């Protein structure tokens, strides 16, 4: 059981004038005022809706919002709005669900706001320490406009781990799962350091507690975690020996063992993306109804091994060219999983390997470059994340009754995924927000 315990274009012409305090034809007026304005219903009309459910964009649509929720959706002129409803003409714009970053670790309000500026209205944060979990609980960030934060307990790890819950035995790990679930953790995360022999016991404990299990196996072994019963696993390109065919070692393996190139390179070199070993991984994912976090942006950043990095040696030009030659295998692997119907998520890994917000959009672009259509990538970035957080009843798609958490874009992201960066304003719980010229969040008032 999946659940979560925690919870420009013509329109932007008006928004920019709002920030200057002007009254604009079409119904938009000043923002950032301190006076109280009673809740009102708003009809966003003449907009193309991309609802996140996989269907084609719906032009000339209307979306009625009141009380922080979507009350009705339909073709222009078909939605009956209550008397006094403010009509907001969004001609030329695109309305999509807010994004869900399935893997990031924000610590401050400023970091959350940076995610929100990228259109991320929900974020899964696996707390990395007991103190962080106890202090923040389900996300106590005050009244600032920030994404919904879904918090897990301390990451399960073993022995002398420097962060998370360092455990000495499988029994201790099982007890920790029960403790976190009782404390309201939305999910349990298990790290690479946990011995494979513990995984089945941990997965059974998570099922008993009805809390999802996320396996963050950066040093490989995510397929074993899936077989044990994990709901989500990754990163995809972290390497997993079970996916490799038997055969001779490749030339990169010795270099990887010496720390001269990332281990993922040697792994990708031998990988057969359409081979029987990968087919077995697909079957494991589908049979368990599990999801996979590719995190290509994170892998790409780590594979590039900058000269100042302490974990690997700078690469020669020949080696960099070899990495470029190997990368298509990572793309082919993603296509294989996607083509078989495996549920993929979008996670940025910020701030570990990518910048706030930028890594999320970079991940979507890499998924498109791997051969997945932009419209389907948008579904991964919205609906799929909501499914894995047990939040599809509240967010992830544009549907009647769901929370009014969505983005209004200047251009069509289904035509070019880079257009997902062109955000006119963000709506959180029915309230519209945008940046002013100084980089501050400001409320957008419609009247």
């Amino acid at each position: 059981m999946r659940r979560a315990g925690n919870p420009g274009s013509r329109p932007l012409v008006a928004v920019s004038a709002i920030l200057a305090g002007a009254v604009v034809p079409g119904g938009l007026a000043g923002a950032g005022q301190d006076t109280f304005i009673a809740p009102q219903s708003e009809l966003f009309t003449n907009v193309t809706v991309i609802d996140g459910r996989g269907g084609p964009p719906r032009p000339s649509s209307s979306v009625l919002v009141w009380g922080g929720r979507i009350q009705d959706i339909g073709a222009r002129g078909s939605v009956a709005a209550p008397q006094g409803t403010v009509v907001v003409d969004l001609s030329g714009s695109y309305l999509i669900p807010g994004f869900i970053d399935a893997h990031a670790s924000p610590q401050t309000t400023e970091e959350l706001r940076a995610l929100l500026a990228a259109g991320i209205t929900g974020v899964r944060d696996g707390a990395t320490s007991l103190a962080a979990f106890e202090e923040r609980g389900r996300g106590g960030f005050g009244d600032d406009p920030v994404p919904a934060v879904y918090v897990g307990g301390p990451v399960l790890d073993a022995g002398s781990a420097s962060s998370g819950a360092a455990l000495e035995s499988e029994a201790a790990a099982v007890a920790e799962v029960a403790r976190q679930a009782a404390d309201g953790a939305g999910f349990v995360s298990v790290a690479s350091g946990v011995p494979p022999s513990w995984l089945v016991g941990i997965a059974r404990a998570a099922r008993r507690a009805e809390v999802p299990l996320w396996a963050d196996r950066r040093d490989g072994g995510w397929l074993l975690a899936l077989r044990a019963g994990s709901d989500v696993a990754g990163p995809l390109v972290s390497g997993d020996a079970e996916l490799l065919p038997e055969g001779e070692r490749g030339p990169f393996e010795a270099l990887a063992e010496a720390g001269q190139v990332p281990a993922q390179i040697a792994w990708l070199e031998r990988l057969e993306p359409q081979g029987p070993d990968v087919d077995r991984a697909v079957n494991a994912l589908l049979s368990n109804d599990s999801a996979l976090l590719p995190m290509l942006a994170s892998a790409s950043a780590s594979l590039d091994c900058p000269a100042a990095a302490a974990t690997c040696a700078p690469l020669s030009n020949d080696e960099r060219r070899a990495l470029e030659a190997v990368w298509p295998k990572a793309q082919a692997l993603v296509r294989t999983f996607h083509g078989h119907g495996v549920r993929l998520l979008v996670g940025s890994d910020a701030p570990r390997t990518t910048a706030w917000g930028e890594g999320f959009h970079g991940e979507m672009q890499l998924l498109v470059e791997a051969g997945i259509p932009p419209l389907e990538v948008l579904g991964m970035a919205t609906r799929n994340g909501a499914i894995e957080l047990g939040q599809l009843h509240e967010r992830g798609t544009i549907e009647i009754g769901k929370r009014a958490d969505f983005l209004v874009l200047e251009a069509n992201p289904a035509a070019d995924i880079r257009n997902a960066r062109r955000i006119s304003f963000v709506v959180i719980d029915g309230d519209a927000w945008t940046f002013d010229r100084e980089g501050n969040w400001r409320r957008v008032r419609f009247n």
Side-chain angles (χ1 to χ4, degrees), residues 103-345:
H103 194 94
S105 300
Q107 298 288 329
T108 67
T109 299
E110 289 70 25
E111 291 168 351
L112 285 167
R113 285 185 167 187
L115 293 175
L116 188 62
I120 296 166
T121 60
V123 55
R124 168 191 167 265
D125 173 23
T128 57
S129 69
L130 180 61
F133 179 54
E134 291 178 341
E135 176 185 351
R136 292 161 53 205
R138 299 184 181 183
F141 293 98
D143 297 325
D144 298 297
V146 295
V149 181
Y150 298 96
V151 181
V155 177
L156 304 188
D157 214 329
S160 58
S162 59
S163 63
L167 306 164
E168 297 296 335
S169 67
E170 179 181 347
V174 168
E176 177 65 12
V177 171
R179 186 198 72 78
Q180 291 186 16
D183 284 349
F187 50 86
V188 173
S189 298
V190 57
S192 299
V194 170
S197 60
W198 297 7
L199 291 175
V200 171
I202 291 171
R204 287 175 176 169
R207 283 196 296 273
R208 285 195 299 271
E210 297 186 338
V211 60
L213 180 63
W214 293 60
D216 185 4
R217 309 288 285 186
R218 292 181 184 274
D219 296 325
W222 55 263
L223 180 53
L224 183 62
L226 285 171
R227 289 193 176 122
S230 294
D231 295 289
V232 183
L236 173 61
V237 193
S238 63
D240 195 312
E242 286 195 64
L243 272 69
L244 295 180
E246 295 183 2
E248 296 181 1
R249 288 160 52 93
F252 273 108
E253 290 194 65
L255 292 175
E257 290 175 358
Q260 295 180 338
V261 299
Q264 297 101 318
I265 293 305
W267 182 76
L268 284 170
E269 182 183 29
R270 288 184 55 197
L271 182 71
E272 295 179 3
Q274 287 81 38
D277 303 284
V278 173
D279 286 343
R280 285 193 286 273
V282 169
N283 290 334
L285 282 155
L286 295 178
S287 62
N288 292 338
D289 190 28
S290 299
L292 191 60
L293 261 169
M295 295 214 296
L296 293 180
S298 173
S300 177
S302 63
L303 297 182
D304 196 23
C305 190
T311 56
C312 59
L315 305 182
S316 68
N317 290 335
D318 288 342
E319 288 170 328
R320 287 187 182 278
R321 283 193 290 270
L323 297 186
E324 293 174 358
V326 170
W327 187 250
K329 285 197 173 185
Q331 296 175 312
L333 184 62
V334 170
R335 286 197 301 274
T336 296
F337 282 111
H338 171 258
H340 282 86
V342 172
R343 190 163 53 252
L344 302 179
L345 310 178

